[in-house]
Amino acid sequence: MSEQKYYLAIDIGASSGRHILGWMQNGKIRIEEIYRFENKLVKKNGHLCWDIEHLFHEVVEGLKACKRLDRIPESVGIDTWGVDFVLLDQGGSVLGSTVAYRDGRTKGMDEEVYKVIPEAELYSRNGIQKQLFNSIYQLMAIKKETPAALEQADRFLMIPEYLNYLLTGEKKNEYTNATTAQLVNAETQDWDYELMEKLGIPTKIFGELNMPKTVVGPLTDEMAERVGFQTTVVLPATHDTGSAVMAVPTTSDDSIYLSSGTWSLMGIERLIPDCTEKSRKHNFTNEGGYHHRYRYLKNIMGLWMMQNLRREFRHKYTFEELYQLAYIARYFTSTVNVNDASFLAPDSMRQAVMDYCEKTGQEIPETEGEVLYCVYHSLANCYAQTVAEIEEVTGRTYDTIHVVGGGCQDKFLNDMMAKATGKKVFAGPIEATAIGNLMAQMLRDKVFEDLNEARRTVAKSFDVKEVEEVHF
């Protein structure tokens, strides 16, 4: 076996998952993707669900790839998207289906919650941005539709926590992901049991909250035999944005980050939450971050719209061709509110954009270039508005935006953002979420003294470039 010490990040997004090995070499973090798999929504009993059995199968297959390559990781960390969860019975079996956040079951559940606790009071407790798919509204939907499932539930585990349980037999809740449930008190950084009791959600199903770097445990004997080796499962920031923000390559507090992917998460890092009414009206969230930090950000629809448009177009355009199509149509002036509910899970994204323009009395995009530019322009405007709101709420001016994640490769969007915000924009690293996942494992293993040292190492390890104006 090689003497090189490896760490494995299993980073699962809404459309795909990756197993990425990381190691230190000549003072830099090196990474290599060794396994990739598809993730998608499936229809079950009239709901949009995750195929959790498929996901776990792929997690195991990726671990087997480590054995085949003779690169046995010192530790393994899993991160996924937020808000979604499973309920387990006393035997550890999943109750019902693993319903996904894009499902419509939460419609009207916000009003049910606000009958018990007013929206402003709820925000003052947890500081979490209202999103109708947050776990709090999903749990209310279960309480209304299938109350027996809540009564039978013995444990609440979010998606990465459940995958960890299947690997180790240990049930551990993790802080950064838990905050997306809208059930964690922002001040105490612990579950808000009083809120749960008010809402009739059983408190006994929520376990102790653990911070990133916490050891979950070794693989079970059965799992170690199945994959061909033993290793330790460690909690990264299991919410993918929590991991991505760790990998923002700066130690300066004069910059805004944009974690760019299916969703755009734009904000700053804070040490004290802002749960004021002003913050709520601007719809900012105070999600948990590494080592008791807060990710003060806005959740923006992001490249989900582009991804859907690309699938709908008859011709399979390359990304370069898509940028050029949008560039040609830059005469088009109609814009949409990218966070409108009509864009969350439409049958046709193109039709949803056209319908929105018609409904708001604007020119309707006719060509592929026009609909693309409409979305690009709208996203850039949304970013500029968010930057202005961050500066207004904090009373500070920020001179730089760091774009991390897969979306940082979209040079056309980066250029439009730079123009719309008037800020310097830096792009990279691309695999920010996996890198942040690896950083938590390395910090636990004392490879770095602290987060600042780890971030300085990221800055010199990966390609980070200032965005330039795009010409075609």
Side-chain angles (χ1 to χ4, degrees):
M1 189 187 298
S2 167
E3 292 181 10
Q4 177 69 60
K5 192 179 274 193
Y6 295 102
Y7 306 86
L8 181 68
I10 304 175
D11 170 30
I12 307 175
S15 57
S16 68
R18 296 160 290 270
H19 288 59
I20 294 181
L21 278 170
W23 65 96
M24 292 298 295
Q25 185 177 332
N26 300 324
K28 294 183 178 181
I29 302 171
R30 300 299 186 199
I31 61 172
E32 182 182 358
E33 181 183 301
I34 61 163
Y35 191 76
R36 179 178 284 261
F37 57 92
E38 184 185 15
N39 185 23
K40 62 181 179 181
L41 296 172
V42 293
K43 262 283 175 71
K44 274 188 186 177
N45 304 317
H47 290 289
L48 285 173
C49 301
W50 300 109
D51 188 344
I52 199 75
E53 293 82 7
H54 163 74
L55 284 182
F56 184 63
H57 169 79
E58 296 291 5
V59 164
V60 171
E61 289 304 303
L63 289 170
K64 289 179 180 177
C66 293
K67 176 65 175 177
R68 286 195 300 273
L69 293 167
D70 192 26
R71 297 197 197 178
I72 308 304
E74 181 80 8
S75 61
V76 175
I78 302 177
D79 67 77
T80 73
W81 62 96
V83 307
D84 288 339
F85 58 87
V86 299
L87 296 176
L88 302 184
D89 64 19
Q90 286 191 327
S93 297
V94 176
L95 292 162
S97 302
T98 311
V99 179
Y101 65 85
R102 290 194 189 276
D103 184 72
R105 68 173 172 169
T106 55
K107 187 176 181 181
M109 290 303 109
D110 50 344
E111 296 306 319
E112 293 298 319
V113 169
Y114 302 152
K115 285 176 187 175
V116 178
I117 179 168
E119 185 177 359
E121 185 184 337
L122 181 64
Y123 187 87
S124 73
R125 297 176 79 105
N126 53 53
I128 296 299
Q129 175 186 18
K130 179 187 174 181
Q131 300 277 6
L132 195 50
F133 47 67
N134 288 350
S135 315
I136 189 173
Y137 306 116
Q138 294 196 44
L139 285 163
M140 286 302 282
I142 292 172
K143 187 181 170 192
K144 289 285 179 185
E145 292 178 9
T146 53
L150 265 186
E151 291 163 13
Q152 295 168 35
D154 182 65
R155 199 59 192 270
F156 168 101
L157 292 179
M158 304 195 86
I159 300 299
E161 299 163 354
Y162 177 60
L163 297 172
N164 287 341
Y165 166 62
L166 294 178
L167 289 174
T168 66
E170 298 290 335
K171 302 169 188 169
K172 287 199 176 180
N173 293 117
E174 187 272 326
Y175 168 67
T176 68
N177 216 345
T179 60
T180 70
Q182 211 170 344
L183 290 167
V184 172
N185 186 288
E187 294 289 344
T188 66
Q189 299 181 324
D190 198 1
W191 295 116
D192 191 336
Y193 294 112
E194 184 184 22
L195 173 61
M196 293 172 189
E197 286 171 356
K198 283 184 177 184
L199 295 172
I201 296 169
T203 58
K204 69 181 178 70
I205 65 176
F206 298 90
E208 177 188 354
L209 287 181
N210 296 275
M211 287 287 169
K213 292 197 303 187
T214 302
V215 172
V216 180
L219 302 180
T220 62
D221 292 343
E222 178 191 354
M223 191 54 58
E225 186 176 348
R226 189 169 161 190
V227 301
F229 61 89
Q230 182 56 272
T231 189
T232 301
V233 176
V234 171
L235 293 174
T238 64
H239 185 221
D240 50 12
T241 310
S243 279
V245 169
M246 284 182 68
V248 173
T250 180
T251 56
S252 167
D253 61 359
D254 290 328
S255 63
I256 289 170
Y257 59 76
L258 173 64
S259 178
S260 183
T262 301
W263 289 93
S264 288
L265 298 309
M266 190 174 215
I268 57 174
E269 204 168 51
R270 304 183 77 158
L271 296 177
I272 299 171
D274 183 349
C275 303
T276 62
E277 185 64 4
K278 182 177 182 180
S279 179
R280 181 185 76 84
K281 286 185 172 176
H282 280 295
N283 209 22
F284 281 102
T285 200
N286 294 267
E287 292 177 357
Y290 174 79
H291 203 230
H292 302 281
R293 289 165 170 78
Y294 294 89
R295 293 175 281 130
Y296 190 68
L297 58 83
K298 270 200 178 182
N299 211 340
I300 300 165
M301 196 71 78
L303 297 180
W304 164 253
M305 298 179 76
M306 312 295 189
Q307 292 160 359
N308 278 266
L309 289 173
R310 188 171 183 239
R311 278 194 289 269
E312 288 176 36
F313 291 162
R314 289 183 198 171
H315 182 71
K316 298 297 178 191
Y317 294 109
T318 65
F319 288 108
E320 285 291 329
E321 288 170 335
L322 287 174
Y323 306 153
Q324 191 159 1
L325 273 174
Y327 181 81
I328 290 168
R330 63 192 185 282
Y331 57 83
F332 192 74
T333 57
S334 298
T335 58
V336 300
N337 172 9
V338 295
N339 294 317
D340 191 83
S342 62
F343 303 126
L344 188 62
D347 292 331
S348 165
M349 187 63 73
R350 183 173 186 172
Q351 191 60 51
V353 172
M354 293 168 68
D355 290 346
Y356 187 96
C357 290
E358 182 177 25
K359 183 176 69 177
T360 52
Q362 301 180 85
E363 185 180 353
I364 300 169
E366 296 181 7
T367 67
E368 291 172 338
E370 287 177 349
V371 75
L372 270 173
Y373 186 77
C374 177
V375 173
Y376 269 116
H377 186 204
S378 302
L379 265 177
N381 284 353
C382 187
Y383 295 153
Q385 182 183 345
T386 302
V387 168
E389 290 178 358
I390 290 171
E391 293 184 334
E392 180 192 340
V393 170
T394 61
R396 293 188 54 188
T397 300
Y398 298 84
D399 55 18
T400 305
I401 300 172
H402 278 274
V403 189
V404 299
C408 79
Q409 299 170 94
D410 193 324
K411 61 183 184 181
F412 188 65
L413 181 57
N414 290 343
D415 178 37
M416 291 197 70
M417 181 187 354
K419 289 186 173 80
T421 62
K423 308 293 185 185
K424 282 185 185 175
V425 178
F426 290 87
I430 297 165
E431 292 289 358
T433 301
I435 293 165
N437 182 325
L438 294 166
M439 287 163 67
Q441 297 180 58
M442 290 176 171
L443 281 159
R444 176 250 167 190
D445 207 25
K446 298 184 169 47
V447 174
F448 307 113
E449 183 181 344
D450 55 22
L451 182 58
N452 279 345
E453 184 188 348
R455 282 176 165 161
R456 285 192 292 269
T457 306
V458 169
K460 68 181 182 181
S461 300
F462 300 97
D463 197 18
V464 180
K465 290 182 177 176
E466 185 170 358
V467 168
E468 298 177 350
E469 188 171 356
V470 173
H471 297 284
F472 291 99

